[in-house]
Amino acid sequence: GAVVSQHPSWVICKSGTSVKIECRSLDFQATTMFWYRQFPKQSLMLMATSNEGSKATYEQGVEKDKFLINHASLTLSTLTVTSAHPEDSSFYICSARVPGQGDYGYTFGSGTRLTVV
Amino acid sequence: QKEVEQDPGPLSVPEGAIVSLNCTYSNSAFQYFMWYRQYSRKGPELLMYTYSSGNKEDGRFTAQVDKSSKYISLFIRDSQPSDSATYLCAMSGLQGAQKLVFGQGTRLTINP
């Protein structure tokens, strides 16, 4: 099946530093990837949609300059949390559209738990 | 009003019980209805999907969609402790929008 590999699975960083999270599609080409944020006991909140080779589309209220998304190839998308602060601590999950599976074909990475201290 | 409403629970049932999870939605344009299972600190995994109205069965799991009532359900028969997880409903198929809309998720615990 279509697999998305997400790294790291957890990261601790100091306030003010930047953190990069990677998502790779292992056995398919991901034209479109999605980045979500999830707070404890809450649902997934879509942050942005990225298409290979073009700028990401951010959801309302998401700071573009804080959450930098790059989708430079058909198998790799990255999310960089810049100048991280404790309130950015959360669980970040990427997802990709699986070719040929229509509007139900979304596969998810295993998530990254970010803790900013 | 949220586009998709789901009771967050928590829901706790004994092993072997039938579990019923539900979501309601407001946008009649949704075409695909999915159920995801998410274990703690993991990404969601697709359990089942249904296109438009109807029922779909896969082993111990049955998904139902009633578009006239804007109501979807997931039934788990002979529930097992390994079914303990958060279950998220999600919907898609809005024209011009390639994204999922999630419910809040229901945290389910199956007690041995």
Side-chain angles (χ1 to χ4, degrees):
Chain A
V3 176
V4 169
S5 176
Q6 183 172 347
H7 293 279
S9 56
W10 61 271
V11 59
I12 300 174
C13 72
K14 290 187 176 180
S15 188
T17 62
S18 295
V19 173
K20 180 184 284 188
I21 302 169
E22 288 190 353
C23 264
R24 293 180 185 273
S25 56
L26 298 186
D27 46 7
F28 67 101
Q29 293 186 329
T31 306
T32 305
M33 282 196 171
F34 307 86
W35 287 94
Y36 294 86
R37 183 173 182 176
Q38 187 176 33
F39 291 105
K41 300 183 182 181
Q42 293 190 26
S43 189
L44 283 72
M45 182 191 79
L46 180 65
M47 298 173 66
T49 302
S50 71
N51 291 291
E52 184 267 336
S54 61
K55 289 185 178 180
T57 301
Y58 290 81
E59 296 297 303
Q60 192 173 9
V62 177
E63 297 178 61
K64 301 178 183 181
D65 295 332
K66 167 166 276 295
F67 300 101
L68 300 179
I69 292 171
N70 184 286
H71 193 162
S73 78
L74 287 171
T75 59
L76 174 65
S77 178
T78 61
L79 168 67
T80 301
V81 183
T82 63
S83 186
H85 291 284
E87 57 266 30
D88 299 323
S89 299
S90 190
F91 192 58
Y92 294 88
I93 308 172
C94 65
S95 174
R97 288 289 300 265
V98 179
Q101 290 190 5
D103 283 326
Y104 69 91
Y106 297 81
T107 187
F108 289 80
S110 56
T112 297
R113 182 162 300 280
L114 170 64
T115 301
V116 184
V117 297
Chain B
Q1 184 188 9
K2 292 181 182 177
E3 275 193 292
V4 180
E5 298 272 5
Q6 183 177 6
D7 186 342
L11 181 61
S12 182
V13 301
E15 183 176 355
I18 297 175
V19 176
S20 172
L21 304 169
N22 311 293
C23 289
T24 59
Y25 62 96
S26 57
N27 193 332
S28 59
F30 285 126
Q31 296 290 334
Y32 284 88
F33 304 88
M34 282 73 75
W35 286 96
Y36 288 87
R37 178 173 62 196
Q38 185 180 23
Y39 292 113
S40 181
R41 302 190 180 190
K42 295 292 184 183
E45 55 175 329
L46 180 65
L47 269 179
M48 298 182 71
Y49 79 92
T50 309
Y51 175 71
S52 195
S53 282
N55 295 356
K56 192 171 186 178
E57 189 174 320
D58 184 2
R60 296 184 295 112
F61 299 88
T62 300
Q64 290 184 351
V65 174
D66 182 349
K67 290 194 76 177
S68 63
S69 301
K70 298 190 183 69
Y71 187 87
I72 71 170
S73 302
L74 177 71
F75 297 96
I76 307 174
R77 291 183 299 280
D78 188 25
S79 56
Q80 305 293 310
S82 58
D83 295 329
S84 298
T86 295
Y87 289 80
L88 297 137
C89 63
M91 304 175 189
S92 69
L94 297 178
Q95 198 160 11
Q98 50 169 351
K99 63 180 183 180
L100 294 175
V101 181
F102 282 93
Q104 189 174 351
T106 300
R107 178 173 283 195
L108 173 67
T109 300
I110 308 297
N111 301 302

mmCIF file of all heavy atoms in Angstrom, chain B residues 22-62:
data_model
loop_
_atom_site.group_PDB
_atom_site.id
_atom_site.type_symbol
_atom_site.label_atom_id
_atom_site.label_comp_id
_atom_site.label_asym_id
_atom_site.label_seq_id
_atom_site.Cartn_x
_atom_site.Cartn_y
_atom_site.Cartn_z
ATOM 1 N N ASN B 22 -20.801 7.569 15.733
ATOM 2 C CA ASN B 22 -21.620 8.340 14.801
ATOM 3 C C ASN B 22 -21.052 9.718 14.527
ATOM 4 O O ASN B 22 -20.344 10.294 15.351
ATOM 5 C CB ASN B 22 -23.028 8.519 15.390
ATOM 6 C CG ASN B 22 -23.614 7.223 15.892
ATOM 7 O OD1 ASN B 22 -23.911 6.322 15.121
ATOM 8 N ND2 ASN B 22 -23.736 7.099 17.201
ATOM 9 N N CYS B 23 -21.430 10.236 13.367
ATOM 10 C CA CYS B 23 -21.109 11.615 13.007
ATOM 11 C C CYS B 23 -22.286 12.205 12.253
ATOM 12 O O CYS B 23 -22.978 11.490 11.514
ATOM 13 C CB CYS B 23 -19.870 11.694 12.118
ATOM 14 S SG CYS B 23 -18.326 11.334 12.967
ATOM 15 N N THR B 24 -22.476 13.485 12.430
ATOM 16 C CA THR B 24 -23.433 14.219 11.616
ATOM 17 C C THR B 24 -22.676 15.306 10.866
ATOM 18 O O THR B 24 -21.589 15.732 11.285
ATOM 19 C CB THR B 24 -24.541 14.851 12.467
ATOM 20 O OG1 THR B 24 -23.931 15.746 13.426
ATOM 21 C CG2 THR B 24 -25.347 13.807 13.202
ATOM 22 N N TYR B 25 -23.250 15.735 9.767
ATOM 23 C CA TYR B 25 -22.577 16.753 8.975
ATOM 24 C C TYR B 25 -23.611 17.701 8.394
ATOM 25 O O TYR B 25 -24.799 17.399 8.351
ATOM 26 C CB TYR B 25 -21.713 16.122 7.882
ATOM 27 C CG TYR B 25 -22.481 15.295 6.861
ATOM 28 C CD1 TYR B 25 -22.879 15.839 5.648
ATOM 29 C CD2 TYR B 25 -22.772 13.954 7.114
ATOM 30 C CE1 TYR B 25 -23.557 15.080 4.717
ATOM 31 C CE2 TYR B 25 -23.462 13.192 6.188
ATOM 32 C CZ TYR B 25 -23.842 13.746 4.996
ATOM 33 O OH TYR B 25 -24.525 12.990 4.079
ATOM 34 N N SER B 26 -23.132 18.839 7.943
ATOM 35 C CA SER B 26 -24.064 19.867 7.489
ATOM 36 C C SER B 26 -24.037 20.079 5.972
ATOM 37 O O SER B 26 -25.018 20.545 5.400
ATOM 38 C CB SER B 26 -23.778 21.186 8.197
ATOM 39 O OG SER B 26 -22.436 21.587 7.982
ATOM 40 N N ASN B 27 -22.931 19.726 5.329
ATOM 41 C CA ASN B 27 -22.783 20.017 3.907
ATOM 42 C C ASN B 27 -23.221 18.816 3.072
ATOM 43 O O ASN B 27 -22.560 17.783 3.053
ATOM 44 C CB ASN B 27 -21.323 20.377 3.601
ATOM 45 C CG ASN B 27 -21.165 20.998 2.231
ATOM 46 O OD1 ASN B 27 -21.934 20.737 1.317
ATOM 47 N ND2 ASN B 27 -20.150 21.831 2.097
ATOM 48 N N SER B 28 -24.320 18.977 2.372
ATOM 49 C CA SER B 28 -24.861 17.863 1.589
ATOM 50 C C SER B 28 -24.007 17.527 0.375
ATOM 51 O O SER B 28 -24.260 16.522 -0.306
ATOM 52 C CB SER B 28 -26.295 18.203 1.143
ATOM 53 O OG SER B 28 -26.288 19.389 0.368
ATOM 54 N N ALA B 29 -23.004 18.334 0.096
ATOM 55 C CA ALA B 29 -22.162 18.092 -1.067
ATOM 56 C C ALA B 29 -21.100 17.020 -0.824
ATOM 57 O O ALA B 29 -20.468 16.552 -1.766
ATOM 58 C CB ALA B 29 -21.496 19.392 -1.509
ATOM 59 N N PHE B 30 -20.880 16.618 0.409
ATOM 60 C CA PHE B 30 -19.888 15.570 0.673
ATOM 61 C C PHE B 30 -20.286 14.291 -0.057
ATOM 62 O O PHE B 30 -21.461 13.915 -0.086
ATOM 63 C CB PHE B 30 -19.772 15.276 2.170
ATOM 64 C CG PHE B 30 -19.027 16.320 2.943
ATOM 65 C CD1 PHE B 30 -19.614 16.912 4.054
ATOM 66 C CD2 PHE B 30 -17.743 16.701 2.585
ATOM 67 C CE1 PHE B 30 -18.937 17.879 4.781
ATOM 68 C CE2 PHE B 30 -17.061 17.658 3.307
ATOM 69 C CZ PHE B 30 -17.660 18.256 4.404
ATOM 70 N N GLN B 31 -19.292 13.627 -0.629
ATOM 71 C CA GLN B 31 -19.548 12.415 -1.402
ATOM 72 C C GLN B 31 -18.885 11.172 -0.801
ATOM 73 O O GLN B 31 -19.398 10.079 -0.923
ATOM 74 C CB GLN B 31 -19.034 12.600 -2.837
ATOM 75 C CG GLN B 31 -19.756 13.676 -3.621
ATOM 76 C CD GLN B 31 -21.174 13.277 -3.971
ATOM 77 O OE1 GLN B 31 -21.491 12.091 -4.070
ATOM 78 N NE2 GLN B 31 -22.047 14.253 -4.121
ATOM 79 N N TYR B 32 -17.726 11.359 -0.205
ATOM 80 C CA TYR B 32 -16.982 10.237 0.371
ATOM 81 C C TYR B 32 -16.982 10.368 1.888
ATOM 82 O O TYR B 32 -16.791 11.459 2.423
ATOM 83 C CB TYR B 32 -15.533 10.221 -0.128
ATOM 84 C CG TYR B 32 -15.388 9.726 -1.539
ATOM 85 C CD1 TYR B 32 -15.481 10.598 -2.622
ATOM 86 C CD2 TYR B 32 -15.160 8.379 -1.796
ATOM 87 C CE1 TYR B 32 -15.358 10.145 -3.914
ATOM 88 C CE2 TYR B 32 -15.024 7.918 -3.101
ATOM 89 C CZ TYR B 32 -15.125 8.807 -4.141
ATOM 90 O OH TYR B 32 -14.997 8.354 -5.424
ATOM 91 N N PHE B 33 -17.177 9.244 2.533
ATOM 92 C CA PHE B 33 -17.272 9.225 3.988
ATOM 93 C C PHE B 33 -16.312 8.154 4.506
ATOM 94 O O PHE B 33 -16.426 6.984 4.154
ATOM 95 C CB PHE B 33 -18.709 8.930 4.421
ATOM 96 C CG PHE B 33 -19.698 9.909 3.834
ATOM 97 C CD1 PHE B 33 -20.273 9.678 2.591
ATOM 98 C CD2 PHE B 33 -20.002 11.072 4.510
ATOM 99 C CE1 PHE B 33 -21.157 10.586 2.033
ATOM 100 C CE2 PHE B 33 -20.895 11.986 3.962
ATOM 101 C CZ PHE B 33 -21.471 11.750 2.727
ATOM 102 N N MET B 34 -15.379 8.589 5.339
ATOM 103 C CA MET B 34 -14.329 7.696 5.801
ATOM 104 C C MET B 34 -14.338 7.567 7.309
ATOM 105 O O MET B 34 -14.777 8.475 8.021
ATOM 106 C CB MET B 34 -12.951 8.241 5.388
ATOM 107 C CG MET B 34 -12.555 8.003 3.933
ATOM 108 S SD MET B 34 -13.444 9.025 2.765
ATOM 109 C CE MET B 34 -12.641 10.598 3.033
ATOM 110 N N TRP B 35 -13.841 6.447 7.759
ATOM 111 C CA TRP B 35 -13.561 6.241 9.175
ATOM 112 C C TRP B 35 -12.076 5.910 9.319
ATOM 113 O O TRP B 35 -11.567 5.009 8.638
ATOM 114 C CB TRP B 35 -14.402 5.122 9.760
ATOM 115 C CG TRP B 35 -15.837 5.529 9.965
ATOM 116 C CD1 TRP B 35 -16.881 5.301 9.122
ATOM 117 C CD2 TRP B 35 -16.362 6.245 11.083
ATOM 118 N NE1 TRP B 35 -18.032 5.839 9.644
ATOM 119 C CE2 TRP B 35 -17.749 6.420 10.849
ATOM 120 C CE3 TRP B 35 -15.821 6.753 12.271
ATOM 121 C CZ2 TRP B 35 -18.587 7.080 11.750
ATOM 122 C CZ3 TRP B 35 -16.651 7.411 13.156
ATOM 123 C CH2 TRP B 35 -18.031 7.568 12.900
ATOM 124 N N TYR B 36 -11.423 6.666 10.183
ATOM 125 C CA TYR B 36 -10.017 6.440 10.472
ATOM 126 C C TYR B 36 -9.879 5.999 11.919
ATOM 127 O O TYR B 36 -10.627 6.432 12.799
ATOM 128 C CB TYR B 36 -9.200 7.721 10.272
ATOM 129 C CG TYR B 36 -9.013 8.112 8.827
ATOM 130 C CD1 TYR B 36 -9.961 8.894 8.177
ATOM 131 C CD2 TYR B 36 -7.884 7.710 8.122
ATOM 132 C CE1 TYR B 36 -9.789 9.257 6.852
ATOM 133 C CE2 TYR B 36 -7.706 8.069 6.798
ATOM 134 C CZ TYR B 36 -8.658 8.833 6.170
ATOM 135 O OH TYR B 36 -8.483 9.193 4.860
ATOM 136 N N ARG B 37 -8.887 5.175 12.151
ATOM 137 C CA ARG B 37 -8.531 4.772 13.510
ATOM 138 C C ARG B 37 -7.160 5.362 13.811
ATOM 139 O O ARG B 37 -6.234 5.283 12.993
ATOM 140 C CB ARG B 37 -8.481 3.237 13.612
ATOM 141 C CG ARG B 37 -8.079 2.696 14.978
ATOM 142 C CD ARG B 37 -8.235 1.187 15.006
ATOM 143 N NE ARG B 37 -7.374 0.532 14.033
ATOM 144 C CZ ARG B 37 -7.527 -0.732 13.646
ATOM 145 N NH1 ARG B 37 -8.500 -1.483 14.147
ATOM 146 N NH2 ARG B 37 -6.704 -1.266 12.757
ATOM 147 N N GLN B 38 -7.062 5.949 14.987
ATOM 148 C CA GLN B 38 -5.787 6.561 15.376
ATOM 149 C C GLN B 38 -5.394 6.058 16.756
ATOM 150 O O GLN B 38 -6.089 6.314 17.743
ATOM 151 C CB GLN B 38 -5.890 8.094 15.374
ATOM 152 C CG GLN B 38 -4.559 8.777 15.650
ATOM 153 C CD GLN B 38 -4.649 10.294 15.642
ATOM 154 O OE1 GLN B 38 -5.709 10.872 15.845
ATOM 155 N NE2 GLN B 38 -3.523 10.952 15.392
ATOM 156 N N TYR B 39 -4.284 5.361 16.807
ATOM 157 C CA TYR B 39 -3.729 4.965 18.097
ATOM 158 C C TYR B 39 -2.926 6.135 18.646
ATOM 159 O O TYR B 39 -2.490 7.019 17.908
ATOM 160 C CB TYR B 39 -2.856 3.723 17.946
ATOM 161 C CG TYR B 39 -3.633 2.471 17.590
ATOM 162 C CD1 TYR B 39 -3.490 1.853 16.355
ATOM 163 C CD2 TYR B 39 -4.516 1.905 18.509
ATOM 164 C CE1 TYR B 39 -4.208 0.709 16.035
ATOM 165 C CE2 TYR B 39 -5.234 0.766 18.196
ATOM 166 C CZ TYR B 39 -5.080 0.181 16.965
ATOM 167 O OH TYR B 39 -5.791 -0.955 16.648
ATOM 168 N N SER B 40 -2.711 6.091 19.949
ATOM 169 C CA SER B 40 -2.053 7.200 20.625
ATOM 170 C C SER B 40 -0.693 7.498 19.999
ATOM 171 O O SER B 40 0.115 6.585 19.782
ATOM 172 C CB SER B 40 -1.895 6.865 22.108
ATOM 173 O OG SER B 40 -1.293 7.928 22.797
ATOM 174 N N ARG B 41 -0.473 8.751 19.670
ATOM 175 C CA ARG B 41 0.801 9.226 19.137
ATOM 176 C C ARG B 41 1.167 8.590 17.800
ATOM 177 O O ARG B 41 2.348 8.398 17.492
ATOM 178 C CB ARG B 41 1.930 9.015 20.149
ATOM 179 C CG ARG B 41 1.660 9.706 21.472
ATOM 180 C CD ARG B 41 2.858 9.707 22.370
ATOM 181 N NE ARG B 41 2.571 10.381 23.624
ATOM 182 C CZ ARG B 41 3.472 10.703 24.530
ATOM 183 N NH1 ARG B 41 4.737 10.431 24.301
ATOM 184 N NH2 ARG B 41 3.127 11.307 25.639
ATOM 185 N N LYS B 42 0.140 8.257 17.020
ATOM 186 C CA LYS B 42 0.347 7.714 15.687
ATOM 187 C C LYS B 42 -0.528 8.478 14.695
ATOM 188 O O LYS B 42 -1.463 9.174 15.082
ATOM 189 C CB LYS B 42 -0.026 6.226 15.640
ATOM 190 C CG LYS B 42 0.853 5.340 16.503
ATOM 191 C CD LYS B 42 2.264 5.271 15.966
ATOM 192 C CE LYS B 42 3.119 4.308 16.779
ATOM 193 N NZ LYS B 42 4.524 4.281 16.308
ATOM 194 N N GLY B 43 -0.227 8.336 13.423
ATOM 195 C CA GLY B 43 -1.073 8.937 12.417
ATOM 196 C C GLY B 43 -2.337 8.126 12.205
ATOM 197 O O GLY B 43 -2.385 6.935 12.538
ATOM 198 N N PRO B 44 -3.376 8.734 11.661
ATOM 199 C CA PRO B 44 -4.622 7.997 11.394
ATOM 200 C C PRO B 44 -4.419 6.951 10.304
ATOM 201 O O PRO B 44 -3.643 7.161 9.379
ATOM 202 C CB PRO B 44 -5.586 9.090 10.921
ATOM 203 C CG PRO B 44 -4.965 10.378 11.309
ATOM 204 C CD PRO B 44 -3.498 10.152 11.313
ATOM 205 N N GLU B 45 -5.139 5.852 10.426
ATOM 206 C CA GLU B 45 -5.131 4.833 9.372
ATOM 207 C C GLU B 45 -6.563 4.609 8.905
ATOM 208 O O GLU B 45 -7.490 4.569 9.721
ATOM 209 C CB GLU B 45 -4.508 3.527 9.861
ATOM 210 C CG GLU B 45 -5.153 2.951 11.111
ATOM 211 C CD GLU B 45 -4.584 1.600 11.502
ATOM 212 O OE1 GLU B 45 -4.161 0.838 10.622
ATOM 213 O OE2 GLU B 45 -4.577 1.309 12.716
ATOM 214 N N LEU B 46 -6.725 4.485 7.606
ATOM 215 C CA LEU B 46 -8.059 4.330 7.039
ATOM 216 C C LEU B 46 -8.625 2.961 7.378
ATOM 217 O O LEU B 46 -8.016 1.930 7.112
ATOM 218 C CB LEU B 46 -7.997 4.508 5.519
ATOM 219 C CG LEU B 46 -9.324 4.373 4.783
ATOM 220 C CD1 LEU B 46 -10.281 5.494 5.176
ATOM 221 C CD2 LEU B 46 -9.101 4.379 3.268
ATOM 222 N N LEU B 47 -9.808 2.977 7.986
ATOM 223 C CA LEU B 47 -10.519 1.728 8.278
ATOM 224 C C LEU B 47 -11.448 1.366 7.134
ATOM 225 O O LEU B 47 -11.419 0.257 6.615
ATOM 226 C CB LEU B 47 -11.357 1.888 9.542
ATOM 227 C CG LEU B 47 -10.749 1.540 10.884
ATOM 228 C CD1 LEU B 47 -11.764 1.810 11.986
ATOM 229 C CD2 LEU B 47 -10.301 0.089 10.919
ATOM 230 N N MET B 48 -12.306 2.316 6.786
ATOM 231 C CA MET B 48 -13.300 2.054 5.757
ATOM 232 C C MET B 48 -13.692 3.352 5.082
ATOM 233 O O MET B 48 -13.599 4.426 5.693
ATOM 234 C CB MET B 48 -14.570 1.436 6.365
ATOM 235 C CG MET B 48 -14.359 0.107 7.035
ATOM 236 S SD MET B 48 -15.893 -0.570 7.660
ATOM 237 C CE MET B 48 -16.691 -1.004 6.122
ATOM 238 N N TYR B 49 -14.146 3.247 3.860
ATOM 239 C CA TYR B 49 -14.723 4.398 3.204
ATOM 240 C C TYR B 49 -15.991 3.963 2.473
ATOM 241 O O TYR B 49 -16.135 2.816 2.072
ATOM 242 C CB TYR B 49 -13.736 5.042 2.240
ATOM 243 C CG TYR B 49 -13.597 4.323 0.916
ATOM 244 C CD1 TYR B 49 -14.376 4.665 -0.176
ATOM 245 C CD2 TYR B 49 -12.668 3.288 0.775
ATOM 246 C CE1 TYR B 49 -14.243 4.000 -1.380
ATOM 247 C CE2 TYR B 49 -12.536 2.620 -0.426
ATOM 248 C CZ TYR B 49 -13.317 2.976 -1.501
ATOM 249 O OH TYR B 49 -13.189 2.314 -2.685
ATOM 250 N N THR B 50 -16.905 4.902 2.331
ATOM 251 C CA THR B 50 -18.158 4.665 1.625
ATOM 252 C C THR B 50 -18.400 5.828 0.680
ATOM 253 O O THR B 50 -18.165 6.977 1.048
ATOM 254 C CB THR B 50 -19.340 4.565 2.612
ATOM 255 O OG1 THR B 50 -19.024 3.627 3.635
ATOM 256 C CG2 THR B 50 -20.614 4.135 1.921
ATOM 257 N N TYR B 51 -18.842 5.490 -0.496
ATOM 258 C CA TYR B 51 -19.189 6.541 -1.449
ATOM 259 C C TYR B 51 -20.700 6.683 -1.467
ATOM 260 O O TYR B 51 -21.416 5.690 -1.661
ATOM 261 C CB TYR B 51 -18.681 6.204 -2.841
ATOM 262 C CG TYR B 51 -19.115 7.208 -3.898
ATOM 263 C CD1 TYR B 51 -18.559 8.478 -3.911
ATOM 264 C CD2 TYR B 51 -20.090 6.884 -4.831
ATOM 265 C CE1 TYR B 51 -18.950 9.411 -4.858
ATOM 266 C CE2 TYR B 51 -20.496 7.809 -5.777
ATOM 267 C CZ TYR B 51 -19.926 9.073 -5.786
ATOM 268 O OH TYR B 51 -20.319 9.988 -6.716
ATOM 269 N N SER B 52 -21.167 7.899 -1.199
ATOM 270 C CA SER B 52 -22.596 8.208 -1.175
ATOM 271 C C SER B 52 -23.302 7.393 -0.098
ATOM 272 O O SER B 52 -22.700 6.949 0.863
ATOM 273 C CB SER B 52 -23.199 7.969 -2.564
ATOM 274 O OG SER B 52 -24.475 8.577 -2.649
ATOM 275 N N SER B 53 -24.579 7.153 -0.239
ATOM 276 C CA SER B 53 -25.338 6.460 0.799
ATOM 277 C C SER B 53 -25.164 4.945 0.705
ATOM 278 O O SER B 53 -24.798 4.416 -0.332
ATOM 279 C CB SER B 53 -26.834 6.784 0.667
ATOM 280 O OG SER B 53 -27.127 8.042 1.188
ATOM 281 N N GLY B 54 -25.437 4.283 1.829
ATOM 282 C CA GLY B 54 -25.405 2.832 1.810
ATOM 283 C C GLY B 54 -24.610 2.257 2.943
ATOM 284 O O GLY B 54 -24.143 2.970 3.832
ATOM 285 N N ASN B 55 -24.489 0.938 2.920
ATOM 286 C CA ASN B 55 -23.748 0.208 3.942
ATOM 287 C C ASN B 55 -22.533 -0.462 3.317
ATOM 288 O O ASN B 55 -22.524 -0.799 2.135
ATOM 289 C CB ASN B 55 -24.630 -0.888 4.558
ATOM 290 C CG ASN B 55 -25.800 -0.325 5.318
ATOM 291 O OD1 ASN B 55 -25.935 0.879 5.469
ATOM 292 N ND2 ASN B 55 -26.675 -1.204 5.773
ATOM 293 N N LYS B 56 -21.547 -0.669 4.145
ATOM 294 C CA LYS B 56 -20.361 -1.399 3.721
ATOM 295 C C LYS B 56 -19.844 -2.195 4.896
ATOM 296 O O LYS B 56 -19.770 -1.665 6.014
ATOM 297 C CB LYS B 56 -19.288 -0.421 3.225
ATOM 298 C CG LYS B 56 -18.131 -1.075 2.501
ATOM 299 C CD LYS B 56 -17.266 0.002 1.870
ATOM 300 C CE LYS B 56 -16.169 -0.602 1.008
ATOM 301 N NZ LYS B 56 -15.354 0.461 0.354
ATOM 302 N N GLU B 57 -19.513 -3.434 4.648
ATOM 303 C CA GLU B 57 -19.065 -4.311 5.730
ATOM 304 C C GLU B 57 -17.671 -4.826 5.431
ATOM 305 O O GLU B 57 -17.342 -5.172 4.298
ATOM 306 C CB GLU B 57 -20.035 -5.487 5.886
ATOM 307 C CG GLU B 57 -19.789 -6.341 7.108
ATOM 308 C CD GLU B 57 -20.879 -7.402 7.298
ATOM 309 O OE1 GLU B 57 -22.057 -7.077 7.070
ATOM 310 O OE2 GLU B 57 -20.534 -8.533 7.636
ATOM 311 N N ASP B 58 -16.844 -4.879 6.491
ATOM 312 C CA ASP B 58 -15.502 -5.425 6.360
ATOM 313 C C ASP B 58 -15.149 -6.112 7.666
ATOM 314 O O ASP B 58 -14.784 -5.456 8.636
ATOM 315 C CB ASP B 58 -14.493 -4.315 6.052
ATOM 316 C CG ASP B 58 -13.082 -4.846 5.819
ATOM 317 O OD1 ASP B 58 -12.880 -6.081 5.851
ATOM 318 O OD2 ASP B 58 -12.170 -4.033 5.591
ATOM 319 N N GLY B 59 -15.339 -7.419 7.673
ATOM 320 C CA GLY B 59 -15.058 -8.173 8.895
ATOM 321 C C GLY B 59 -15.991 -7.761 10.021
ATOM 322 O O GLY B 59 -17.205 -7.801 9.896
ATOM 323 N N ARG B 60 -15.416 -7.313 11.112
ATOM 324 C CA ARG B 60 -16.223 -6.905 12.278
ATOM 325 C C ARG B 60 -16.749 -5.482 12.168
ATOM 326 O O ARG B 60 -17.451 -5.009 13.052
ATOM 327 C CB ARG B 60 -15.374 -7.035 13.542
ATOM 328 C CG ARG B 60 -14.939 -8.472 13.859
ATOM 329 C CD ARG B 60 -14.185 -8.557 15.192
ATOM 330 N NE ARG B 60 -12.912 -7.849 15.171
ATOM 331 C CZ ARG B 60 -12.666 -6.742 15.869
ATOM 332 N NH1 ARG B 60 -13.621 -6.196 16.618
ATOM 333 N NH2 ARG B 60 -11.478 -6.175 15.808
ATOM 334 N N PHE B 61 -16.378 -4.786 11.127
ATOM 335 C CA PHE B 61 -16.727 -3.375 10.972
ATOM 336 C C PHE B 61 -17.798 -3.184 9.898
ATOM 337 O O PHE B 61 -17.736 -3.783 8.832
ATOM 338 C CB PHE B 61 -15.489 -2.553 10.599
ATOM 339 C CG PHE B 61 -14.400 -2.599 11.628
ATOM 340 C CD1 PHE B 61 -13.436 -3.602 11.601
ATOM 341 C CD2 PHE B 61 -14.340 -1.643 12.630
ATOM 342 C CE1 PHE B 61 -12.423 -3.648 12.559
ATOM 343 C CE2 PHE B 61 -13.330 -1.677 13.584
ATOM 344 C CZ PHE B 61 -12.376 -2.681 13.556
ATOM 345 N N THR B 62 -18.770 -2.316 10.217
ATOM 346 C CA THR B 62 -19.802 -1.945 9.253
ATOM 347 C C THR B 62 -19.941 -0.432 9.256
ATOM 348 O O THR B 62 -20.089 0.170 10.320
ATOM 349 C CB THR B 62 -21.158 -2.578 9.598
ATOM 350 O OG1 THR B 62 -21.036 -4.007 9.595
ATOM 351 C CG2 THR B 62 -22.217 -2.154 8.595
#
